[in-house]
Each structure stands twice: as C-alpha cells, then as structure tokens.
Amino acid sequence: QVQLVESGGGLVQAGGSLRLSCAASGRPFNTYTVGWFRQAPGKEREFVAGVSWSNSITDYADSVKGRFTISRDNAKNTMYLDMNSLKPEDTAVYYCAADLSFSARVSWSAVEYDYWGQGTQVTVSS
C-alpha cells in the first residue's frame, strides 16, 4: 500500500512559478512509477507528467512540455513538479499518483494508477 500527500499549491500570477511536492510512504518509493494529473472544474482528469520507477524515463503532456519539470528523490521518498511560465489554463487541482505495475513506461491513463493523493489547488490569475 502507498500513501501520497501533495503540497505546494497556491495562487500565482500568470508567468509565475510554483513547486509541487508529493511525499510518499508505504511501499519502497523506488519500486513504482509516479505521475502528476490535474483536474479543472467541469473537465476530466488529465495527465500532466510522469517519471518511471527507475528514474530513467520522464514524459509530459504537450500542454506543459518545456514549462514543467518532473523529478523524484528516491532517498527522500518525494516527487516534485516544477512549474514555470504558468498560464491561467493551468488552474486545476493537481494530484500525484502511483502506478505499481512495474511497467517500463510512463502511462498517461489515470486508470493505470493505483493510489492517489488528496490533491492540491493551483490557481493562476491573469
């Protein structure tokens, strides 16, 4: 079993930056892929970024590529999402999630993730 706790959300002006963190506990952190998803009001949850259990593969949604950077520190059981050049359309609740399938790839599908955090709100004002 895995427990995930997000932090770092908040209100920021367009063009600003935020760093989200996801602290994990339970199963050894370096044995599963982790990812960030987001959900805006009235929209479906969407993939943002992910990093494999081996820390060798990262993947990003086209909408955030070049602006967001995902990383993980297996020694600290923590994953990060550095978000730069934020836009109003980035406003959403951001969730971290764990994929325990030991897959060699990063999945974009929410149904393939087994555990989720409670979410943290990110609001970007124009």
Side-chain angles (χ1 to χ4, degrees), residues 37-104:
F37 287 75
R38 66 186 182 188
Q39 187 165 20
K43 294 188 176 181
E44 293 188 355
R45 191 169 297 191
E46 64 174 359
F47 173 81
V48 175
V51 54
S52 65
W53 60 268
S54 62
N55 213 4
S56 61
I57 300 171
T58 58
D59 203 2
Y60 297 89
D62 290 344
S63 59
V64 307
K65 201 170 292 184
R67 299 187 298 122
F68 291 10
T69 302
I70 190 171
S71 60
R72 64 188 297 165
D73 185 337
N74 287 340
K76 295 183 177 179
N77 296 339
T78 303
M79 171 178 65
Y80 305 97
L81 185 68
D82 289 299
M83 306 185 295
N84 298 310
S85 302
L86 282 162
K87 305 175 181 180
E89 50 263 45
D90 294 318
T91 295
V93 177
Y94 283 70
Y95 299 89
C96 64
D99 173 3
L100 273 58
S101 68
F102 218 61
S103 171

Side-chain angles (χ1 to χ4, degrees), residues 1-7 21-27 29 32-36 72 77-79 95-100 113-119:
Q1 200 161 0
V2 173
Q3 294 79 40
L4 303 170
V5 179
E6 303 96 335
S7 61
S21 299
C22 175
S25 60
R27 176 168 161 169
F29 187 58
Y32 53 89
T33 291
V34 283
W36 289 98
R72 64 188 297 165
N77 296 339
T78 303
M79 171 178 65
Y95 299 89
C96 64
D99 173 3
L100 273 58
Y113 288 77
D114 305 284
Y115 292 95
W116 294 81
Q118 82 289 349

